Amino acid sequence: MAEENKQDYVVLARKYRPQNFNELLGQDALVRTITNAIKNNRLHHAYILTGIRGVGKTTTARIIAKALNCTGKDALNGATVNPCGICENCRAIAESRHIDVLELDAASRTGVDDIREILDGVRYKPTNARYKVYIIDEVHMLSKQAFNALLKTLEEPPSHVIFIFATTEIRKVPITILSRCQRFDLQRLSIETLIDHFKNIADKENVKTEEEALHLIARAADGSCRDGLSLLDQAISLGNGEVKTDIVKNMIGLADRSLTFELFENLVSGKIEDVVANLEQQHQNGAAPLTLLQDLINITHLLAKVKIVPEALNDPALSENEKNFCSRLAPNVSIAVLSKIWQMLIKGLGELNIAPLQADALEMVLIRIAYSANLPTPAEILDSLKKNSDLAVTKPQIRAAVPEEIAPASREVRPAPTKNDTDALCFKTPDELVDYLQNTKHPMMVYSLKHDVSFAEFTNGTMKIAVSDKINNDFLLNLQNILTEATGIRWNIDIQRGALGETIADKEAAKDLANKKDVMDLPLVKAVMTEFRGAKIDSLTRKVVPAETGESSETPAFEDDNNYFDEDNDI
């Protein structure tokens, strides 16, 4: 008899499966919707439940079936939101043996013939229950033909039939099926919800537990109650009736959290020898390299979040060790450093997957991160270069690379003329015409004048130009109309035949190249180019200086990505 009792053991995930809506964890929206529908007699003929594994999809389907078919004291006149759990219907449904509540696994019965068997039984009324309930688990595994065979019946089933579908892959379910069902997305269970649930079960099982151990199990469960209970069951067996932190860590391959925090601090401080020693110790203790790397990634994200949103420290899901660690380290690590560590750790995930030995690959990743911690950031290098007095003395002038009338480097900046300034404008140079066209929103005309036209002569009322073959046929007519409207006179436009001469775009490019050469003579830029090998000047901009400073309103500047260097060595 003793041997028989040992074989009757039921795992925690089955033993403590919720039997009514009150016991269902973390699905308040679903419970409220279904209970209101039952109370108001507004039951839908088809439901689809989706969510990750172990959040209660099949359990919810059974509870709905019991609520509809319970014959207990509260259900004498119909469906109830509080199934008794002791009547014959409730017990048969809970044990998956009710003749009118059919549970099918679509993963093993995917064909159209299996669906035809269901459809043949739909027309018959239930034998012992109010409703005939079809629970189809993993419904996304059905074939296309099976889904098509189900469509018509699912749209207009008999009043005594209820369909309940469950799936972890909602995107694989055809939209034609989804449109015929009420959809419920079951949420992941929070860490605090899981911990409370584990405590209640441990009390009922007379099992001693440690708070941190339950926290580790809840984290490893990743929102799945079934996964968490399976881990709890394993931890109880491994600990001989107790759930201890060190046992749980070894069981699920987690490193000692305090050692991981210490490892992260060594990484940030650039203590390479300590990093290698810490990693070796954790590896000897059984920490999985991939799990340790993922833990470091989570710590990096947590620190960055705490730096940006300090209120994140109040999250009840954080342990006291995590809160103390973040409070101590967050003020001393910049977002730039955390971003760099994050990128190197994420890249390390791929390296671990292809490396012959994951432990060696992880060691190389962490050595790289620790070594880079001792390197100054670009901003620190620039600050160091600027403090060198020799670099701030010489201020070479950027020469004008094109004639003064085209684009002088120090000409006064003035707004381009517009038609509102005067009734008739006078264009003295092609640049003034281009400025006017830019202000009056003629981008295509501006591009053509800059790139496909060269000016041989330009006076108010007359211009001689050469044009490329790319010019649109309407270009001259549109240009003539714009000039006439702006100046009040009809312009004489003489088109010169032959090769295209130097365009405005060519002159601007020549000026830009000359200014880049002048910028390269700046001592600070020379020092930067020496320090950052392979760097190049991408573009030049002008820095506007407030007029009250008494300086020029424009200052040539060297731009590199998001920073620029002007001739006063400002960053």
Side-chain angles (χ1 to χ4, degrees):
M1 188 68 179
E3 292 293 330
E4 214 176 290
N5 290 336
K6 287 183 181 178
Q7 294 177 357
D8 289 338
Y9 174 72
V10 180
V11 297
L12 298 180
R14 292 180 58 193
K15 184 176 182 180
Y16 294 98
R17 183 191 292 267
Q19 299 300 319
N20 53 58
F21 289 119
N22 294 330
E23 296 178 4
L24 197 60
L25 300 175
Q27 313 301 338
D28 296 338
L30 179 149
V31 170
R32 188 164 57 252
T33 303
I34 296 295
T35 53
N36 287 340
I38 293 174
K39 289 177 181 178
N40 300 320
N41 196 25
R42 298 180 62 87
L43 290 171
H44 202 269
H45 61 267
Y47 299 95
I48 187 163
L49 311 175
T50 179
I52 65 167
R53 78 271 175 245
V55 293
K57 298 184 294 296
T58 305
T59 296
T60 301
R62 291 178 181 175
I63 294 174
I64 294 174
K66 287 195 291 185
L68 298 179
N69 294 314
C70 177
T71 57
K73 182 178 179 180
D74 296 336
L76 294 177
N77 298 321
T80 176
V81 296
N82 298 307
C84 67
I86 58 175
C87 68
E88 179 57 30
N89 282 346
C90 286
R91 286 190 288 109
I93 293 171
E95 297 169 5
S96 301
R97 58 178 177 79
H98 199 289
I99 191 173
D100 294 320
V101 178
L102 306 179
E103 293 189 30
L104 299 96
D105 179 18
S108 58
R109 303 182 66 182
T110 62
V112 65
D113 292 335
D114 299 313
I115 295 300
R116 286 189 182 132
E117 291 181 17
I118 296 175
L119 301 181
D120 288 342
V122 163
R123 55 184 142 175
Y124 300 109
K125 290 189 175 183
T127 304
N128 298 328
R130 297 187 190 92
Y131 294 92
K132 184 173 283 190
V133 181
Y134 292 91
I135 301 174
I136 304 181
D137 203 6
E138 302 300 335
V139 69
H140 66 274
M141 299 292 288
L142 291 178
S143 66
K144 181 179 179 181
Q145 292 78 10
F147 275 126
N148 290 337
L150 191 60
L151 285 177
K152 185 61 179 176
T153 302
L154 186 61
E155 184 174 7
E156 297 177 356
S159 59
H160 59 268
V161 172
I162 301 290
F163 287 98
I164 304 177
F165 302 138
T167 177
T168 54
E169 300 285 348
I170 191 66
R171 294 183 180 180
K172 295 182 180 179
V173 180
I175 189 65
T176 50
I177 296 292
L178 294 177
S179 65
R180 290 164 167 81
C181 303
Q182 274 192 8
R183 171 176 168 177
F184 294 95
D185 291 81
L186 277 69
Q187 305 299 313
R188 293 174 183 264
L189 300 185
S190 65
I191 291 178
E192 52 267 29
T193 300
L194 288 174
I195 292 175
D196 291 340
H197 188 48
F198 297 159
K199 287 180 180 178
N200 292 334
I201 292 177
D203 291 341
K204 293 176 182 177
E205 294 288 319
N206 294 320
V207 173
K208 295 180 180 180
T209 62
E210 294 181 3
E211 182 76 21
E212 187 175 354
L214 295 181
H215 193 275
L216 291 174
I217 293 175
R219 272 187 173 277
D222 193 27
S224 169
C225 187
R226 184 173 62 235
D227 288 7
L229 290 177
S230 297
L231 290 173
L232 181 62
D233 221 340
Q234 184 179 353
I236 293 173
S237 299
L238 193 59
N240 195 22
E242 295 184 14
V243 181
K244 297 182 179 180
T245 302
D246 55 345
I247 292 178
V248 171
K249 287 177 180 177
N250 292 330
M251 182 185 74
I252 60 181
L254 282 180
D256 189 333
R257 193 69 168 172
S258 60
L259 285 177
T260 308
F261 289 150
E262 181 183 334
L263 174 61
F264 193 90
E265 289 192 59
N266 291 334
L267 284 176
V268 174
S269 303
K271 300 177 181 178
I272 300 180
E273 294 182 359
D274 293 339
V275 167
V276 175
N278 185 300
L279 185 59
E280 180 65 23
Q281 181 181 353
Q282 297 203 54
H283 186 60
Q284 297 256 339
N285 293 340
L290 185 59
T291 304
L292 181 55
L293 181 60
Q294 292 170 340
D295 207 8
L296 290 172
I297 291 174
N298 291 335
I299 291 174
T300 305
H301 168 261
L302 179 61
L303 274 174
K305 185 177 179 180
V306 169
K307 279 193 70 71
I308 297 173
V309 187
E311 292 78 11
L313 279 176
N314 299 327
D315 187 351
L318 296 180
S319 65
E320 287 301 319
N321 287 342
E322 289 173 322
K323 292 179 181 180
N324 294 334
F325 170 78
C326 292
S327 300
R328 184 178 71 257
L329 198 61
N332 303 322
V333 185
S334 67
I335 290 293
V337 171
L338 291 174
S339 298
K340 178 176 66 175
I341 293 175
W342 172 272
Q343 291 173 352
M344 299 177 78
L345 290 173
I346 291 295
K347 184 180 179 182
L349 286 174
E351 295 182 13
L352 260 65
N353 290 330
I354 62 175
L357 294 175
Q358 288 192 340
D360 293 348
L362 176 61
E363 188 172 290
M364 290 304 301
V365 170
L366 298 186
I367 288 174
R368 247 191 345 254
I369 295 174
Y371 175 75
S372 68
N374 289 322
L375 298 177
T377 64
E380 291 172 344
I381 294 175
L382 295 175
D383 286 338
S384 176
L385 292 174
K386 287 181 64 180
K387 290 176 183 178
N388 189 335
S389 58
D390 294 338
L391 301 180
V393 174
T394 308
K395 297 182 181 180
Q397 297 296 322
I398 297 180
R399 66 178 180 274
V402 293
E404 180 72 17
E405 66 271 17
I406 299 298
S410 59
R411 74 180 182 183
E412 180 185 358
V413 178
R414 62 182 179 82
T418 63
K419 189 67 172 64
N420 294 332
D421 296 335
T422 58
D423 291 335
L425 296 173
C426 178
F427 300 118
K428 297 179 181 179
T429 65
D431 282 345
E432 290 187 1
L433 174 59
V434 170
D435 290 343
Y436 172 78
L437 292 174
Q438 286 177 333
N439 282 356
T440 53
K441 311 300 183 188
H442 293 87
M444 297 300 295
M445 189 69 68
V446 169
Y447 181 87
S448 297
L449 285 176
K450 281 188 173 185
H451 295 84
D452 300 323
V453 174
S454 61
F455 292 87
E457 180 182 337
F458 190 96
T459 59
N460 192 32
T462 303
M463 70 172 71
K464 293 181 180 180
I465 59 174
V467 297
S468 71
D469 296 335
K470 302 177 184 177
I471 285 292
N472 189 286
N473 293 334
D474 296 333
F475 170 77
L476 292 178
L477 178 61
N478 294 335
L479 179 60
Q480 181 68 263
N481 292 337
I482 291 172
L483 289 170
T484 301
E485 180 183 357
T487 62
I489 61 174
R490 183 170 183 80
W491 280 59
N492 180 22
I493 303 177
D494 183 11
I495 299 179
Q496 303 291 318
R497 303 300 176 183
L500 188 66
E502 187 180 30
T503 63
I504 295 177
D506 293 335
K507 295 175 183 178
E508 289 178 348
K511 174 192 171 184
D512 186 59
L513 180 60
N515 280 339
K516 284 182 180 179
K517 291 180 179 178
D518 284 338
V519 167
M520 287 294 295
D521 293 332
L522 290 168
L524 177 58
V525 176
K526 285 184 178 180
V528 170
M529 292 297 185
T530 302
E531 197 71 33
F532 295 95
R533 296 179 182 179
K536 64 179 181 179
I537 299 177
D538 182 58
S539 63
L540 296 173
T541 61
R542 291 183 176 273
K543 178 183 175 183
V544 178
V545 180
E548 57 267 20
T549 61
E551 301 177 10
S552 171
S553 60
E554 283 188 334
T555 306
F558 158 56
E559 184 176 35
D560 177 20
D561 294 334
N562 296 325
N563 299 326
Y564 62 85
F565 311 87
D566 65 17
E567 65 175 3
D568 292 325
N569 297 336
D570 290 335
I571 299 178

Coordinates of all heavy atoms in Angstrom, one line a residue, residues 291-319:
T291 N 24.7 32.0 -19.8 CA 23.8 32.5 -18.7 C 24.5 33.7 -18.0 O 23.9 34.7 -17.7 CB 23.5 31.5 -17.7 OG1 22.9 30.3 -18.3 CG2 22.5 32.0 -16.6
L292 N 25.8 33.6 -17.8 CA 26.6 34.7 -17.1 C 26.6 35.9 -18.0 O 26.4 37.0 -17.6 CB 28.0 34.2 -16.8 CG 28.9 35.2 -16.1 CD1 28.3 35.7 -14.8 CD2 30.3 34.6 -15.9
L293 N 26.8 35.7 -19.3 CA 26.8 36.8 -20.3 C 25.4 37.5 -20.3 O 25.3 38.7 -20.3 CB 27.2 36.3 -21.7 CG 27.3 37.4 -22.8 CD1 28.3 38.5 -22.4 CD2 27.6 36.8 -24.1
Q294 N 24.4 36.7 -20.3 CA 23.0 37.3 -20.3 C 22.8 38.1 -19.0 O 22.1 39.1 -19.0 CB 22.0 36.2 -20.5 CG 22.0 35.6 -21.9 CD 21.2 34.3 -22.0 OE1 20.8 33.7 -21.0 NE2 20.8 33.9 -23.2
D295 N 23.3 37.6 -17.9 CA 23.2 38.2 -16.6 C 23.9 39.6 -16.7 O 23.3 40.6 -16.2 CB 23.7 37.4 -15.5 CG 23.1 37.7 -14.2 OD1 22.1 38.4 -14.2 OD2 23.5 37.1 -13.2
L296 N 25.0 39.7 -17.3 CA 25.8 40.9 -17.4 C 25.0 41.9 -18.3 O 25.0 43.1 -18.0 CB 27.2 40.7 -18.0 CG 28.1 40.0 -17.0 CD1 29.4 39.6 -17.8 CD2 28.5 40.9 -15.8
I297 N 24.4 41.4 -19.3 CA 23.5 42.3 -20.2 C 22.4 42.8 -19.4 O 22.1 44.0 -19.5 CB 23.0 41.5 -21.4 CG1 24.2 41.1 -22.3 CG2 22.0 42.2 -22.2 CD1 23.8 40.2 -23.5
N298 N 21.7 42.0 -18.6 CA 20.6 42.5 -17.8 C 21.1 43.6 -16.8 O 20.3 44.5 -16.5 CB 19.9 41.3 -17.0 CG 19.2 40.4 -18.0 OD1 18.8 40.8 -19.1 ND2 19.1 39.1 -17.6
I299 N 22.2 43.4 -16.2 CA 22.8 44.3 -15.2 C 23.1 45.7 -15.9 O 22.8 46.7 -15.4 CB 24.0 43.8 -14.6 CG1 23.7 42.6 -13.6 CG2 24.8 44.9 -13.8 CD1 24.9 41.9 -13.0
T300 N 23.6 45.6 -17.1 CA 23.9 46.8 -17.9 C 22.6 47.6 -18.2 O 22.5 48.8 -18.0 CB 24.6 46.5 -19.2 OG1 25.7 45.7 -19.0 CG2 25.0 47.7 -20.0
H301 N 21.6 46.9 -18.6 CA 20.3 47.5 -18.9 C 19.7 48.1 -17.6 O 19.2 49.2 -17.6 CB 19.3 46.5 -19.5 CG 17.9 47.0 -19.5 ND1 17.0 46.6 -18.6 CD2 17.3 47.8 -20.4 CE1 15.8 47.2 -18.9 NE2 16.0 47.9 -19.9
L302 N 19.8 47.4 -16.5 CA 19.2 47.8 -15.2 C 19.9 49.1 -14.8 O 19.3 50.1 -14.3 CB 19.4 46.8 -14.2 CG 18.9 47.1 -12.8 CD1 17.4 47.4 -12.8 CD2 19.2 45.9 -11.8
L303 N 21.3 49.2 -14.9 CA 22.0 50.4 -14.5 C 21.6 51.6 -15.4 O 21.4 52.7 -14.9 CB 23.5 50.1 -14.6 CG 24.2 49.5 -13.4 CD1 25.6 49.2 -13.7 CD2 24.1 50.4 -12.2
A304 N 21.5 51.4 -16.7 CA 21.1 52.5 -17.6 C 19.8 53.0 -17.2 O 19.5 54.2 -17.2 CB 21.2 52.0 -19.0
K305 N 18.8 52.1 -17.0 CA 17.5 52.4 -16.6 C 17.4 53.3 -15.3 O 16.7 54.3 -15.2 CB 16.6 51.2 -16.5 CG 15.1 51.5 -16.3 CD 14.3 50.2 -16.3 CE 12.9 50.4 -16.0 NZ 12.1 49.2 -16.0
V306 N 18.2 52.8 -14.3 CA 18.2 53.5 -13.1 C 18.8 54.9 -13.2 O 18.4 55.9 -12.6 CB 19.0 52.7 -12.0 CG1 19.3 53.5 -10.8 CG2 18.2 51.4 -11.6
K307 N 19.8 55.1 -14.1 CA 20.4 56.4 -14.3 C 19.4 57.3 -14.9 O 19.4 58.5 -14.6 CB 21.7 56.3 -15.2 CG 22.9 55.8 -14.5 CD 24.2 56.0 -15.3 CE 24.5 57.5 -15.5 NZ 25.0 58.1 -14.3
I308 N 18.7 56.8 -15.9 CA 17.7 57.7 -16.6 C 16.4 57.9 -15.8 O 15.9 59.0 -15.7 CB 17.4 57.1 -18.0 CG1 18.6 57.0 -18.8 CG2 16.3 57.9 -18.7 CD1 18.5 56.3 -20.1
V309 N 16.0 56.8 -15.1 CA 14.7 56.9 -14.3 C 15.0 56.4 -12.9 O 14.9 55.2 -12.6 CB 13.6 56.0 -15.0 CG1 12.3 56.2 -14.2 CG2 13.4 56.3 -16.4
P310 N 15.5 57.2 -12.0 CA 15.9 56.8 -10.7 C 14.7 56.1 -9.9 O 15.0 55.3 -9.1 CB 16.2 58.1 -10.0 CG 16.6 59.0 -11.1 CD 15.7 58.7 -12.2
E311 N 13.5 56.4 -10.3 CA 12.3 55.7 -9.6 C 12.3 54.2 -9.9 O 11.6 53.5 -9.2 CB 11.0 56.4 -10.1 CG 10.8 57.8 -9.6 CD 11.6 58.8 -10.5 OE1 12.1 58.4 -11.5 OE2 11.7 60.0 -10.1
A312 N 13.1 53.8 -10.9 CA 13.1 52.3 -11.2 C 13.6 51.5 -10.0 O 13.3 50.3 -9.9 CB 13.9 52.1 -12.4
L313 N 14.3 52.1 -9.1 CA 14.8 51.4 -7.9 C 13.7 51.0 -7.0 O 13.9 50.1 -6.1 CB 15.8 52.3 -7.1 CG 17.2 52.4 -7.6 CD1 18.0 53.4 -6.8 CD2 17.9 51.0 -7.6
N314 N 12.5 51.6 -7.1 CA 11.4 51.2 -6.3 C 10.6 50.0 -6.8 O 9.6 49.6 -6.2 CB 10.4 52.4 -6.2 CG 11.1 53.6 -5.6 OD1 11.9 53.5 -4.7 ND2 10.7 54.8 -6.0
D315 N 11.1 49.4 -7.9 CA 10.4 48.3 -8.5 C 10.5 47.1 -7.5 O 11.5 46.7 -7.0 CB 11.2 47.8 -9.8 CG 10.4 46.7 -10.5 OD1 9.5 46.2 -10.0 OD2 10.8 46.4 -11.7
P316 N 9.3 46.6 -7.1 CA 9.3 45.5 -6.1 C 9.9 44.2 -6.6 O 10.3 43.3 -5.8 CB 7.8 45.3 -5.8 CG 7.1 45.9 -7.0 CD 8.0 47.0 -7.5
A317 N 10.1 44.1 -7.9 CA 10.7 42.9 -8.5 C 12.2 42.8 -8.2 O 12.8 41.8 -8.4 CB 10.5 42.8 -10.0
L318 N 12.8 44.0 -7.8 CA 14.3 44.0 -7.6 C 14.6 43.5 -6.2 O 13.9 43.9 -5.2 CB 14.8 45.4 -7.7 CG 14.7 46.1 -9.1 CD1 15.3 47.5 -9.1 CD2 15.5 45.3 -10.1
S319 N 15.6 42.7 -6.1 CA 16.1 42.3 -4.8 C 16.8 43.4 -4.1 O 17.3 44.4 -4.7 CB 16.9 41.0 -4.9 OG 18.1 41.3 -5.6

